[in-house]
Amino acid sequence: MTKHELHLVIPATHEDVLMARMAMSGLGMLCGLEVDLIGDLRTVANECCDCLLNRTSVPKSLQLEASLKDGRLAMTFTAVGTTEQTGQPVDRDIAYGVLSTLMPEVSLQDDEMGIAQITCSMPAGGDGDHE
């Protein structure tokens, strides 16, 4: 099985979340996922980025790392740096509830400003050899 990896750093703005959504969509296609699962990946990217953008101090950038390895698609979204802006963090339980309806494995890591990192994974069907 081909190993696919994605490393992406985007500015921490709601407008730039589209890049994360599109990158996850492309990775899903390379992994041979069905169309409905690719849609779920886009939604996961959107929800994860939204959680990381809504912290008491907005990050400077968002980092996305994803890979297909041993039949699993694993993703990590991380808030990087801080700004002087202050905001209201999202409710951790609600964030977990929404994400766990889309992905079978979800883990949230917190710091003093809210959710700092989200890791999730799912089995990847298909042969993973799409180029």
Side-chain angles (χ1 to χ4, degrees), residues 78-116:
T78 307
V80 179
T82 59
T83 64
E84 296 300 318
Q85 251 181 331
T86 58
Q88 179 66 33
V90 297
D91 183 282
R92 187 182 202 287
D93 292 333
I94 292 173
Y96 180 82
V98 168
L99 291 169
S100 65
T101 63
L102 299 165
M103 298 296 281
E105 294 180 16
V106 177
S107 174
L108 305 175
Q109 288 79 42
D110 301 318
D111 63 15
E112 64 279 355
M113 292 175 261
I115 298 171

Side-chain angles (χ1 to χ4, degrees), residues 11-128:
T13 67
H14 290 283
E15 294 82 18
D16 289 309
V17 170
L18 176 62
M19 287 187 279
R21 288 174 49 90
M22 296 307 293
M24 288 307 303
S25 179
L27 183 60
M29 286 197 268
L30 286 173
C31 294
L33 296 180
E34 294 180 13
V35 173
D36 59 332
L37 291 177
I38 292 171
D40 288 349
L41 285 179
R42 285 192 304 263
T43 302
V44 165
N46 197 62
E47 292 296 326
C48 288
C49 291
D50 189 56
C51 286
L52 297 175
L53 288 171
N54 290 295
R55 296 166 37 88
T56 56
S57 181
V58 177
K60 289 184 179 181
S61 61
L62 302 178
Q63 179 178 309
L64 165 56
E65 296 189 8
S67 65
L68 174 65
K69 187 175 179 184
D70 299 327
R72 291 201 70 80
L73 180 57
M75 298 152 277
T76 302
F77 295 81
T78 307
V80 179
T82 59
T83 64
E84 296 300 318
Q85 251 181 331
T86 58
Q88 179 66 33
V90 297
D91 183 282
R92 187 182 202 287
D93 292 333
I94 292 173
Y96 180 82
V98 168
L99 291 169
S100 65
T101 63
L102 299 165
M103 298 296 281
E105 294 180 16
V106 177
S107 174
L108 305 175
Q109 288 79 42
D110 301 318
D111 63 15
E112 64 279 355
M113 292 175 261
I115 298 171
Q117 186 175 72
I118 302 169
T119 304
C120 46
S121 69
M122 62 181 281
D127 60 14

